[in-house]
Amino acid sequence: MDTLLYWLDKIQPSERSLVGDQAFYLSQQAQAGRAVIPGFAIAAPVLREFLATSNWSEPLMGELLTSVLHINVDNVNQLKRLAQHIHQELCGAELPEEWVDTLEIAADRLNASVLIFRPCLVERVTSRMAESSQNFSQISGLLESRICPNRRDSLSQAWKETWAELFSARSLFYWQRAGISLQELDLAILVQPVWDAIAAGSLETGADVWEIKATWGLGMSIPAGKTIPDYYQVNPATGQVQQQTLGNKLIAYHVALNQQKKMPLDDGAIAHNQRDYSSVLTEDIDVSRATNLDFCQCIQPLIIEPEQQQQYAFQEPLLSELIRLTENLVSELGDRLVLEWVVCPATQPEIHENADFHYNSWTNLQLYLGQVLCLGCSPNQNQINSGHEPEKGVDPFANSHQNHPWLVGVGAAPGEAIAPAFVINPYGQLPKTIPPKRIIVTKTIDVDALFCLQEAAGVISEYGGMTSHAAILARELGIPAVVGVTDATKKIRSDQKLLIDGERGRIYQTDSAINPAKNIIINPQESSNKYLESSPQNQPMIVDKLSPNFEAIATQLMVNLSHTKSLEKIGNLPVDGVGLLRSELMILEKVGPQHPQKWIEAGHQEEFVDLMSDAALEIAQYFFPRPVFYRCCDLRSDEYPGQAELNPALGSHGAFSYQVDSSLFELELAVIDRVQTDGYTNINLILPFVRSVEEFVFCRQKVEQTGLNRVNGFQLWIMAEVPSVLFLLDDYVKAGVQGIAIGTNDLTQLLLGVDRNHPQFQHIFENPHPAVKSAISQLIYQAILLNIPCSICGQAVVMEPKFIDDLVRWGVTGISVEPNSFETTYRAIARSEKRLLLEAARRELSP
């Protein structure tokens, strides 16, 4: 390798094809004397050399960028398996030691504890530039950046993981759909320090308006969907702010160090420094996606004080400075730019957990450019002078690849889908028919819209949360969902082609032609037995199945289900049963978009029992003799049109509603009785949202009147989700409760006083709050003392894998998760149990 790295302040125009547009445009600004975040680019040809010279176990890896890779991208299972196989092979390979040495020295010169690796796509074939450039400008955010601590092993891993982005399932799908061969692509990597900032954000220019987004702390919280930023509209003709809207900035992110090296941001920013950062970073910090801040230990959130939440993060004179800078850049590069900016002090301050983001606490603040992305810029004079005359009608500089989503919300159901949108008019009647495989866009997801999800490719809503029924159903159906998208029904039009990323809460525009029959959903947990695809020589290329070897675990692991369609996802997984069978969504599937009470009023009781018992029987039969815990209906008034209460979360639902009108509850008991009568005695009952012992006693008496307890082994549980259960569990057990299922969603909502459907509170549900953890540990401890089983079935288990360590240590009986999360949860439990056994053995051996 002639040259491995190129520093931003030294990149020449002739080296643009070696470093990519992102590094090239930023280097232009650095060399023009503007303040930019320093860094260097790992040259694009390095990946090609690494693939060609490494000793691979199979020819596929060495030929990834030199031969045509035939992929059936319409077979999602095969596509995912191939991408996973390439990722494992690439990230498991060893980089040459001299390369890692060079990277380590260069990273040390950046004098930062945390670095970001940004993938920079480079096209090698000039003759195809027009076609592929159009695709790159239309589809954004394809390749994900990586964040890692500044230490040798993490740097090497981040390097390889960034390379692997070129071969992700999403990328492979795009290359084939766009008619782009991997032979035409190279990938450079821009490496920059992550500096703590008081404020950060982006600016996107257009012919008629410029849009600025700003938040406290690090700007990566905006594309990650962790905050709603302040928003400014600037008139390009006058340079004046014509509109500004205060965002909802509850949290800010900063570099997770007890202290940072103080350094000037000019010449000292790239001064050689031999500091070893391993002493200030914990050992388990690893490489993370820049948009997945929940699992990035390099970056930590801070709660913003209520008073500061009401202040704009970007203030004068810095706002005016950014506008003047943008005016200059537009005159130089064109009117389609995306800038990333940060506001840092000249000397990096010490940042602690109680850090504040008040401007008067920071001194000598400076505005810095972190990224300059040029969309459709004109060729500059440097290239023309170098003798490379651009082809007529082709813009060789249009090949800019941006990482900015069009709209951002809260990721509520993982997966990715590309499909036309179908916008539901919030003020009109729901259409009688909705075309299948569309991305449903709605203001709020009531039962009418919920019913439409059965055949949808994805869902976008302006309101709602990751614990709503819509999000739960989307996760179980395996379709992506993004909620909390401001003005989605106004900004998105029907039939508009979208890419929805339900894991990161991102929405992208794509004008590429989409055949409705070819709409695709990529679910991150899809599996298949093997990948088999014919190569050009008609020789099959086989990637062996990632057959999981499930070792025995003591903790029961069950699944949450809502309808019979999910049974096909279970397969041969070692599931211990159904920990939560949600009747609300089963009822919706059978009854349709109407309140089940209307069926009762219309005299359809017998039909209701027939339909529901058929579904429950199919599930009980599938799992027999493993237990199935059927949770009775817990419908809230805001989920049905015309039924709203002033405060539906605390209104007439759950066990209390059975006391008000027991007709629906009695029909559900008849359903369970029918299943038992057919010989399936593995079905049990969970009562939802029980507020008092009196409510439970009323329901228990109804159960006894139906005769369900005549079956040996039948269990009657309650959901432990109302905080009063912390004080009344002993009384509940005395009254006949035989087990509890902890519902973390409502428990969190009621303990912390936050709306589970409000987009701005979703970060609270992603990571269990200390108060919630304390409550859960108390419930498990009490259950052990009272000799009753205790399971947990909320979203918190999946969102925070380390929480599983706590649950296993506390002695939880069982954990119940969505089918798509089963394998990862199983392995997390196995690791936790092994760790506990090892700790116990060490204690035994210690003197």
Side-chain angles (χ1 to χ4, degrees), residues 659 687 690-700 718 724-725 727-737:
Q659 287 184 301
L687 301 174
V690 181
R691 295 175 170 96
S692 67
V693 176
E694 290 74 21
E695 289 179 1
F696 170 76
V697 171
F698 173 85
C699 295
R700 190 206 68 209
I718 62 170
S724 60
V725 71
F727 310 99
L728 298 174
L729 186 55
D730 187 29
D731 295 330
Y732 278 120
V733 173
K734 291 176 181 177
V737 168

Side-chain angles (χ1 to χ4, degrees), residues 399-458:
N399 186 21
S400 292
H401 182 77
Q402 59 161 316
N403 289 312
H404 289 268
W406 177 44
L407 299 174
V408 174
V410 176
E416 298 154 6
I418 305 167
F422 187 92
V423 180
I424 297 177
N425 184 351
Y427 305 106
Q429 293 292 323
L430 186 73
K432 293 182 179 180
T433 60
I434 293 179
K437 301 304 178 185
R438 298 296 183 100
I439 297 174
I440 304 298
V441 183
T442 179
K443 198 172 191 70
T444 185
I445 304 176
D446 57 22
V447 69
D448 290 342
L450 197 63
F451 189 70
C452 302
L453 299 190
Q454 303 283 346
E455 301 296 330

Side-chain angles (χ1 to χ4, degrees), residues 247-288:
N248 199 330
K249 311 178 295 297
L250 299 178
I251 56 176
Y253 284 84
H254 74 103
V255 176
L257 290 176
N258 290 329
Q259 64 178 18
Q260 297 181 340
K261 181 84 172 175
K262 292 186 177 182
M263 53 91 177
L265 300 188
D266 40 41
D267 295 337
I270 55 174
H272 184 68
N273 172 51
Q274 295 295 335
R275 181 181 180 188
D276 179 11
Y277 288 98
S278 61
S279 62
V280 292
L281 289 165
T282 59
E283 291 184 1
D284 57 347
I285 290 181
D286 206 351
V287 179
S288 303

Side-chain angles (χ1 to χ4, degrees), residues 476 556-562 567 570 574-583 619-620 623 626-632 682-688 715-721 739-743 789-794 813-819 822:
E476 192 165 333
Q556 287 185 338
L557 181 57
M558 299 181 283
V559 291
N560 302 332
L561 294 181
S562 301
L567 294 177
I570 306 300
V575 177
D576 289 318
V578 179
L580 185 66
L581 179 57
R582 303 183 184 94
S583 64
I619 294 173
F623 286 96
R626 293 167 291 176
V628 173
F629 285 89
Y630 177 104
R631 188 188 68 184
C632 288
N682 57 327
I683 192 165
N684 304 283
L685 185 64
I686 301 180
L687 301 174
Q715 295 185 31
L716 178 60
W717 288 24
I718 62 170
M719 293 294 299
E721 51 195 355
I740 58 173
I742 301 174
C790 173
S791 70
I792 186 167
C793 53
T813 308
I815 296 174
S816 192
V817 297
E818 311 293 333
F822 183 87

Side-chain angles (χ1 to χ4, degrees), residues 765-783:
F765 292 87
E766 294 175 5
N767 296 291
H769 189 278
V772 177
K773 282 188 174 182
S774 177
I776 292 172
S777 66
Q778 290 181 50
L779 286 170
I780 295 173
Y781 178 70
Q782 291 183 61

Side-chain angles (χ1 to χ4, degrees), residues 550-572:
F550 291 105
E551 53 192 300
I553 58 175
T555 307
Q556 287 185 338
L557 181 57
M558 299 181 283
V559 291
N560 302 332
L561 294 181
S562 301
H563 52 74
T564 56
K565 293 179 182 178
S566 297
L567 294 177
E568 60 189 34
K569 298 181 180 181
I570 306 300
N572 295 322

Side-chain angles (χ1 to χ4, degrees), residues 399-552:
N399 186 21
S400 292
H401 182 77
Q402 59 161 316
N403 289 312
H404 289 268
W406 177 44
L407 299 174
V408 174
V410 176
E416 298 154 6
I418 305 167
F422 187 92
V423 180
I424 297 177
N425 184 351
Y427 305 106
Q429 293 292 323
L430 186 73
K432 293 182 179 180
T433 60
I434 293 179
K437 301 304 178 185
R438 298 296 183 100
I439 297 174
I440 304 298
V441 183
T442 179
K443 198 172 191 70
T444 185
I445 304 176
D446 57 22
V447 69
D448 290 342
L450 197 63
F451 189 70
C452 302
L453 299 190
Q454 303 283 346
E455 301 296 330
V459 60
I460 298 169
S461 74
E462 296 180 5
Y463 300 101
M466 59 188 297
T467 63
S468 64
H469 280 153
I472 291 169
L473 181 58
R475 289 193 292 269
E476 192 165 333
L477 290 172
I479 63 173
V482 178
V483 300
V485 182
T486 304
D487 294 332
T489 56
K490 297 179 181 178
K491 295 179 179 179
I492 300 173
R493 66 182 186 276
S494 287
D495 296 322
Q496 183 177 2
K497 308 302 189 299
L498 300 177
L499 161 65
I500 176 175
D501 184 340
E503 182 176 356
R504 300 171 186 86
R506 295 163 147 197
I507 300 162
Y508 307 90
Q509 299 181 81
T510 170
D511 294 329
S512 302
I514 296 179
N515 182 342
K518 297 293 185 180
N519 296 343
I520 186 167
I521 300 173
I522 302 178
N523 189 295
Q525 302 294 337
E526 293 283 1
S527 61
S528 64
N529 289 333
K530 63 173 62 175
Y531 174 87
L532 176 61
E533 179 67 26
S534 297
S535 65
Q537 294 77 25
N538 225 11
Q539 296 294 323
M541 175 181 64
I542 299 177
V543 177
D544 290 334
K545 174 190 174 184
L546 300 174
S547 53
N549 295 316
F550 291 105
E551 53 192 300

